Amino acid sequence: MRAGLVFASLCALSEGAVQMPNWFGDNMVIQTNEEYGARGFLNGKASPGEKVVIQGTATNTVYTVTADSSGDWEVMLDPQSSVVNKGYLTVQGESGPVHKADQVSYGDVFFCSGQSNMAFPLKDAFNATAEASSLTEADFANFRFFTAPLSYSPTPQFNFNNGSCQVGDACTSWVTAAEAHSTGYIMDFSAVCYMTVRDIARFHTGGRPMGLVLSAWGGTRIEAWMPESSFKTCSSMPPVPATSHQEASVLYNAMVAPVNKMAVRSAIWYQGEANADEKLPSGYDREAYYSCYLQAMVSSWRDAKRIGDFAFLAMQLPPSVPAGTPLPQQNGTGRPAIRLAEADLVPRVGSKTDISGIAVGIDLGGASAWGIDHPPNKNEMSRRLALQTVHVAYAVQGRMSNDKAGAPPFPVNTYFSGPVFEAAAVTEGAGVLVSLMNGTGFGMSLRDVTGKNINGSSNSCTRCCQGGGAPFELEVGGKWVQVPFAGTKVVGDKVSLTNPAAGTPTAVRYASTDFVECILQNGDGLPMGPFSHSFTTREEEEPTIRRNVKGGMIQSPPMGFNSWNFYHCNIDEVTVKAVIDVMVSNGMQAAGYEYVNIDDCWQVARMPNGTIIPDPVRFPSGMKALADYAHSKGMKFGVYTAQAQYTCQHRPGSYDYEKIDGKTYCDWGIDYLKIDECDGKKHLMKNTSWIRFHEAFEECYNTTGNYIVTSVEHCDDPLDCGKWIPGVANLWRTSKDVQAHFSSVMYNAYASNLMHDIATPGHFNDADMLEVGDVGLSYTEQVTHFSLWCIMASPLLAGTDLIHAPKQILSILTNKEVINVNQDLGLNNKVQGYLVKRTTVNGCETELWFKPLRMGTCGSSAEPRRGQERIDPA
C-alpha cells in the first residue's frame, strides 16, 4: 500500500509547475475586509506536497502553503484596507516559473450574473454616451473590469475555458477604467453591472477600488447556474432541458466555479425570464419551484466561497409585454410568479435567506433594440439595485444622499426602498387593512405607470389608476375582484381596501399582472413590489419547550463558537441557527461547547430612547428570538459590543449607553458579552465601561438568575490591570487578534503566558478565538494550537465553519482528554499552564509547557517545536 501511495505522488509531481486561476493577474482587485467586507483569498494548483510561497509589495506577509493530496492550495490573506495599486504579488512553487500580478488593488468585488438582461450592453441603454462618459469621473478611476467567456462544462472547472467573449476580446483579463473608456469596452460591458456599481460608489464608497466581474449568458435557466449538490434541497421539481448550456449545473461549473475562491462584497443577479417562459407540466407551481431554486443557489454559492453569507441582490423582473396588452394575453408570461419567488429574498422573520434584497422594477418596462423583454431603462434599475446594495451590504439605514445620483425626476436624497408588505387583516365591514414597512413615511400614493421605449415612443399605462388599472385585488368567494381606485386609501403606513363584493375576503394581492398599470409608491418614487397573502387559518405549531439554562458564575473556561474568524460580517440569523443545530448534532455540545456568540456587525443604530437596534437585513427576527432559539436547544447565546462610540466595523458602540445596553441584553436573555475597544469617543478611564456593565449584569443576575459572562479587551500587564481586572470581567484578551498562521498563534500564546499567574477559576486570560479549521494552518499546527489553548486555560471558542466542518477538524475540537486539561481548575487554583523551558533537540528548538492538574497527580505538558510545528502530550 505504501508503494502505491508513493507511485501516485510521483505521478502527480510530473504534472509540473504551479498553476494560478486566470483571474489572478495584473490590475486585479482583491476583496478588502474594510467596512463589513470579507478576507481575501488566493488559490491555485501544484504538485501534491509542494510548497508554494506567496509574497510581494501588495502584502506585508510572506505566506507559505503546502498543496494537499489533490494538488490544491489556498491562503487567507491578512486584513487589508482599501488601496489602489498597492503593488505586486508573486506566487512560486518549488519548480517552474514565477506567477506575478502587478498593480494589485484592495477594494470591493462584485459578481454580476444571470441571463441576457444582465449581459445587456451599456450602449443599448438610455443615455448610453453620457453614462459611458461617467467612467472618466474621479470616483470611478479605480474601477477594474473582468469578463468570463461563454462556456459550459459537465464538471466544476478550476479555470475559465476558452469560450466566446461577449465583451470584445478582453475576457479573462482585468481591464482598467481608462482602458475600458478609451477602447469602447465599457459600451459592450453589462449596463446593469456597471451602473449599479457606479451608483454604489456615488451613494457610498466614493473612490474605493471596485472589481466588476461579469459572468452572464442570455436565455439561460437558473438550473444551469446551480451546482449539482444544491438540487437536493428542492423536491418535485420540473425536468431540466437536456440542451447543451441549458443543462443542470453546466454554467455553474464553467462560469461560477472558477471564481469560487474569489472573495466578493456582493453578487448581483438578473435572471428569471427563461424560467418564466418555460411551459410547465401540469402539477408544478412556478413560484414555489423558482423560489426554492433561487434560495438553494444563493446558499450553495455562499457555501462554495466559504466567506459566510455575502450580500446577494436581485433585479425583480420588469414587464415583458407592452402597455395596453390585454389581460388574457398576460396570463401566460410567468412573470408574476417569478416576481413573487424573487420577493422571498427580502429578509423577514423566519426567512430562509438573509443579507439579501431585491430591486423592484414593475414600472420599468419598454422596448430596446433587443426587444420588449429587454427594457432600456437599465439606468433606473441600476440605481435601485445600488440603493438596495448600500443598505444590504453596507448596512446603511434610512435615507441616502448623493448629488450625482441622476437627473430629475430622480431624487438625490432618497430612501433605499419602496414600501414592503408586512401583514394584512380583514377589518369590520369585510374590508382589508394592509400593513407596510420600509419607506412608508414619505408620502405614499398610487401612481400611473409611465415609460418610454428606446425609440422615444410611449410605453405608458392605458387604463391607469383611475381607469380600471388599480393594483389591489381581494379574493372573495373563490374569485379575485379588483379594488377600485376610490376604494384604496393610504393611511400612514397602511393601506385600507374597501371590499367591492359580497362576502369576506380570503386573500389579498397586489400587482398580479405582467404589465402593472398602477403602482403604490413612496414619496421618492420607489414602488412596492408584488405580494399575495392568504387569510386562511393555518394550523398552529406546537410551542417550543425552552430549556432553562440559567445558572451561576462560571468556573472553567467558556467553550463555544464565535462568528468573527470565519464569517466576519457575513453572519445572519439563518447561519446562527444552523450553527446551533449542528453543534447539537455533531458532538460539540456533548463535548462541552455551549456558547454561540455573534461578533461585530449585528447592530445598526439606536432608538430615540437609546435602545440598540439589530440589523434588520441580517437579523430580522431580532436578538431575543435567537437567544430563545439557542436556549430551546440547550445552548447559550452571546453578542458583541465596544466600549467606544463605534465598534471596529463602525457600528454603534456602548459609550455612555452601558446601563441601557446592560438591561437590553438582560431582557433579551443574553448569556455572554464581548466588549471590544475600537473607535470614536472613549471614557477617560479604560475600565469605566467594564465596571458599568459589571454592575448592570450583577443586577440582571439578582433579578433574573441569568449570569452573563463578560469578556473584555484588553489587559496584558500583570503588575497593572492584572491586579484588578478579575473584579470586573471573566475574560480579558492579552494580545492582538490571532491570525491563521502559526507565528500569530505562538505570539498570542507567549503574550498569555506572561499573565498566567493572574488566572483563577472563573477568571481567565483570553488568547483569542480558535483558528482550528480555518485556511492557513496545517493539521499539525491546528493540533498544536488547540492543545496550547487548553493548557493555557484559554476560552475555547471555535472560529471556523462548523456547518461544513470535516471529521478531522471535529476530532481536534472534541478531543475529550485535551478538553479535560482546559476545564481542569488546576492545582491550588492555578488554572493556567505555562512555558517551563526551551531547549534544542537534534537541532530543533523545543518548548515545554506544563499545567499541574487538580484532578489527580499527573501533570500535562506540551512541546511545540518550531520548524516542525508539532505538539506532544506528556
Side-chain angles (χ1 to χ4, degrees):
M1 181 177 294
R2 287 185 180 179
L5 288 174
V6 172
F7 176 76
S9 176
L10 289 174
C11 288
L13 281 172
S14 67
E15 294 178 0
V18 167
Q19 301 175 53
M20 294 298 293
N22 43 22
W23 57 264
F24 178 88
D26 296 347
N27 301 307
M28 71 175 178
V29 180
I30 297 176
Q31 179 61 46
T32 175
N33 71 321
E34 182 179 346
E35 198 186 8
Y36 334 137
R39 297 281 283 276
F41 290 79
L42 291 177
N43 73 297
K45 289 185 173 293
S47 299
E50 183 176 4
K51 285 192 174 182
V52 180
V53 177
I54 302 95
Q55 59 187 323
T57 57
T59 178
N60 298 323
T61 304
V62 176
Y63 304 90
T64 301
V65 62
T66 302
D68 63 20
S69 58
S70 298
D72 295 315
W73 60 264
E74 179 182 5
V75 295
M76 178 170 63
L77 304 178
D78 285 348
Q80 297 284 345
S81 299
S82 296
V83 60
V84 63
N85 297 342
K86 184 173 182 179
Y88 67 86
L89 286 172
T90 62
V91 180
Q92 185 172 19
E94 296 175 23
S95 61
V98 177
H99 295 266
K100 184 177 182 181
D102 273 316
Q103 303 299 308
V104 174
S105 298
Y106 293 91
D108 285 338
V109 180
F110 297 87
F111 183 71
C112 304
S113 189
Q115 55 181 101
S116 54
N117 270 304
M118 177 57 81
F120 187 94
L122 184 63
K123 64 187 177 185
D124 289 323
F126 283 146
N127 305 317
T129 301
E131 299 289 17
S133 294
S134 67
L135 187 56
T136 63
E137 297 175 22
D139 279 350
F140 318 129
N142 299 328
F143 277 30
R144 305 288 184 265
F145 302 87
F146 185 97
T147 303
L150 302 181
S151 60
Y152 57 95
S153 170
T155 58
Q157 298 297 294
F158 168 72
N159 245 331
F160 292 114
N161 296 322
N162 295 321
S164 62
C165 187
Q166 51 191 335
V167 184
D169 58 355
C171 282
T172 68
S173 62
W174 291 90
V175 178
T176 68
E179 292 169 338
H181 185 264
S182 65
T183 63
Y185 172 100
I186 190 61
M187 280 294 200
D188 291 323
F189 194 76
S190 163
V192 168
C193 188
Y194 168 61
M195 289 192 289
T196 297
V197 178
R198 180 202 61 189
D199 286 354
I200 291 169
R202 284 177 168 173
F203 277 114
H204 186 68
T205 58
R208 181 180 301 174
M210 299 291 220
L212 292 72
V213 180
L214 176 62
S215 181
W217 193 328
T220 53
R221 296 160 51 97
I222 193 172
E223 294 93 329
W225 296 98
M226 300 168 61
E228 183 179 356
S229 60
S230 64
F231 289 94
K232 63 184 179 183
T233 61
C234 302
S235 58
S236 300
M237 294 296 112
V240 179
T243 309
S244 60
H245 66 285
Q246 294 283 22
E247 295 182 18
S249 306
V250 295
L251 298 185
Y252 169 83
N253 293 336
M255 297 180 67
V256 179
V259 291
N260 273 348
K261 300 302 181 182
M262 176 192 285
V264 299
R265 168 71 67 176
S266 175
I268 302 172
W269 176 251
Y270 193 160
Q271 191 273 338
E273 301 92 336
N275 292 89
D277 291 339
E278 70 174 321
K279 304 300 181 183
L280 285 180
S282 61
Y284 289 103
D285 184 311
R286 193 184 309 274
E287 176 191 345
Y289 102 76
Y290 190 82
S291 175
C292 188
Y293 275 179
L294 179 59
Q295 295 189 73
M297 186 192 76
V298 174
S299 179
S300 63
W301 282 16
R302 288 171 167 177
D303 287 346
K305 283 196 179 296
R306 292 182 54 80
I307 58 171
D309 289 353
F310 57 86
F312 189 99
L313 283 300
M315 184 67 223
Q316 195 174 49
L317 293 186
S320 67
V321 296
T325 301
L327 292 179
Q329 295 180 27
Q330 297 189 38
N331 292 336
T333 67
R335 267 57 179 180
I338 298 297
R339 289 172 189 156
L340 291 176
E342 291 165 333
D344 288 338
L345 290 179
V346 178
R348 305 174 187 273
V349 175
S351 58
K352 297 180 180 179
T353 305
D354 295 326
I355 317 184
S356 52
I358 60 171
V360 177
I362 55 175
D363 58 331
L364 299 177
S368 70
W370 290 36
I372 191 64
D373 203 14
H374 296 83
N377 197 357
K378 298 296 192 288
N379 321 62
E380 176 61 7
M381 294 181 193
S382 300
R383 191 184 74 98
R384 294 179 187 180
L385 277 167
L387 288 170
Q388 282 286 319
T389 305
V390 172
H391 173 63
V392 171
Y394 299 93
V396 176
Q397 308 298 304
R399 302 189 69 78
M400 301 177 190
S401 297
N402 167 36
D403 61 2
K404 302 177 184 177
F410 304 131
V412 297
N413 181 289
T414 179
Y415 201 72
F416 66 84
S417 168
V420 175
F421 173 79
E422 184 175 27
V426 178
T427 61
E428 291 185 12
V432 169
L433 191 65
V434 178
S435 298
L436 307 174
M437 59 183 181
N438 288 353
T440 59
F442 314 110
M444 288 195 301
S445 62
L446 292 177
R447 169 172 69 85
D448 294 342
V449 170
T450 61
K452 289 184 178 182
N453 300 310
I454 195 67
N455 63 8
S457 60
S458 174
N459 190 54
S460 299
C461 63
T462 55
R463 294 183 299 146
C464 305
C465 294
Q466 299 188 54
F472 287 95
E473 298 170 88
L474 301 178
E475 186 182 45
V476 183
K479 295 182 179 180
W480 287 100
V481 293
Q482 191 172 37
V483 179
F485 177 81
T488 305
K489 302 293 184 183
V490 175
V491 183
D493 61 352
K494 296 177 174 58
V495 177
S496 176
L497 303 175
T498 300
N499 183 1
T504 301
T506 55
V508 57
R509 70 186 184 185
Y510 160 83
S512 65
T513 56
D514 187 338
F515 188 97
V516 180
E517 300 265 341
C518 173
I519 59 170
L520 181 70
Q521 66 172 15
N522 64 13
D524 295 321
L526 295 173
M528 179 167 74
F531 74 84
S532 180
H533 176 76
S534 173
F535 300 117
T536 304
T537 303
R538 296 181 180 180
E539 183 179 346
E540 295 292 331
E541 296 181 0
E542 294 185 7
T544 303
I545 300 175
R546 307 210 178 279
R547 292 179 54 181
N548 186 347
V549 296
K550 295 177 181 177
M553 293 181 286
I554 62 171
Q555 291 294 302
S556 298
M559 298 172 59
F561 162 85
N562 181 283
S563 61
W564 186 254
N565 283 357
F566 181 81
Y567 293 98
H568 300 282
C569 284
N570 291 335
I571 187 73
D572 54 39
E573 68 178 57
V574 172
T575 298
V576 173
K577 287 182 177 181
V579 170
I580 292 170
D581 292 343
V582 79
M583 290 178 71
V584 172
S585 64
N586 68 6
M588 292 190 70
Q589 183 186 51
Y593 292 86
E594 56 179 345
Y595 294 95
V596 176
N597 299 337
I598 300 173
D599 211 276
D600 206 345
C601 297
W602 66 265
Q603 63 282 76
V604 291
R606 292 188 180 275
M607 297 180 185
N609 66 1
T611 302
I612 197 76
I613 301 174
D615 189 333
V617 169
R618 288 164 169 76
F619 302 98
S621 301
M623 294 297 107
K624 186 180 186 305
L626 272 182
D628 288 346
Y629 187 83
H631 297 162
S632 74
K633 302 290 184 176
M635 302 290 282
K636 296 182 179 180
F637 181 67
V639 295
Y640 162 104
T641 189
Q643 62 170 291
Q645 182 181 9
Y646 302 109
T647 70
C648 296
Q649 296 298 316
H650 218 69
R651 303 290 181 106
S654 289
Y655 174 75
D656 269 352
Y657 287 98
E658 292 88 355
K659 185 175 181 179
I660 294 175
D661 287 352
K663 185 178 186 309
T664 300
Y665 300 150
C666 181
D667 292 343
W668 288 349
I670 298 301
D671 305 290
Y672 189 115
L673 178 67
K674 174 182 173 180
I675 307 172
D676 214 332
E677 291 186 0
C678 293
D679 303 326
K681 295 179 182 178
K682 299 179 182 179
H683 296 290
L684 182 62
M685 299 300 294
K686 182 175 174 179
N687 61 352
T688 300
S689 182
W690 304 342
I691 292 171
R692 291 180 180 179
F693 272 117
H694 180 71
E695 292 171 347
F697 292 162
E698 277 191 331
E699 181 178 347
C700 178
Y701 180 66
N702 293 333
T703 304
T704 68
N706 188 45
Y707 186 81
I708 301 177
V709 173
T710 308
S711 169
V712 303
E713 182 168 335
H714 70 278
C715 175
D716 59 4
D717 188 346
L719 301 179
D720 184 11
C721 55
K723 294 182 177 180
W724 50 260
I725 198 166
V728 296
N730 302 103
L731 318 163
W732 47 91
R733 284 277 301 279
T734 55
S735 58
K736 60 186 180 181
D737 292 356
V738 69
Q739 305 297 329
H741 42 82
F742 198 66
S743 60
S744 176
V745 169
M746 294 308 300
Y747 179 95
N748 282 28
Y750 296 146
S752 181
N753 182 64
L754 298 176
M755 295 279 290
H756 74 269
D757 278 337
I758 307 302
T760 59
H763 304 284
F764 307 98
N765 295 306
D766 182 0
D768 205 5
M769 291 90 73
L770 292 164
E771 291 280 12
V772 174
D774 293 330
V775 173
L777 295 174
S778 68
Y779 173 75
T780 303
E781 290 170 340
Q782 293 177 71
V783 172
T784 304
H785 171 26
F786 186 74
S787 300
L788 270 176
W789 261 233
C790 287
I791 289 170
M792 296 188 301
S794 183
L796 299 181
L797 299 177
T800 191
D801 177 11
L802 296 178
I803 300 170
H804 305 98
K807 291 182 179 180
Q808 186 183 59
I809 299 304
L810 291 176
S811 68
I812 298 174
L813 293 172
T814 59
N815 187 303
K816 182 177 180 180
E817 185 176 0
V818 183
I819 290 174
N820 285 342
V821 173
N822 176 265
Q823 296 291 289
D824 188 275
L825 299 183
L827 187 64
N828 298 324
N829 288 334
K830 293 293 184 182
V831 297
Q832 183 167 336
Y834 51 91
L835 177 62
V836 176
K837 67 176 182 178
R838 291 190 177 98
T839 186
T840 300
V841 177
N842 296 327
C844 182
E845 185 176 345
T846 302
E847 296 174 353
L848 176 65
W849 293 69
F850 177 75
K851 176 177 177 178
L853 302 181
R854 176 180 292 187
M855 53 177 190
T857 58
C858 295
S860 175
S861 64
E863 299 175 353
R865 300 177 182 178
R866 297 178 188 174
Q868 296 179 359
E869 290 92 35
R870 58 171 296 186
I871 188 163
D872 301 315

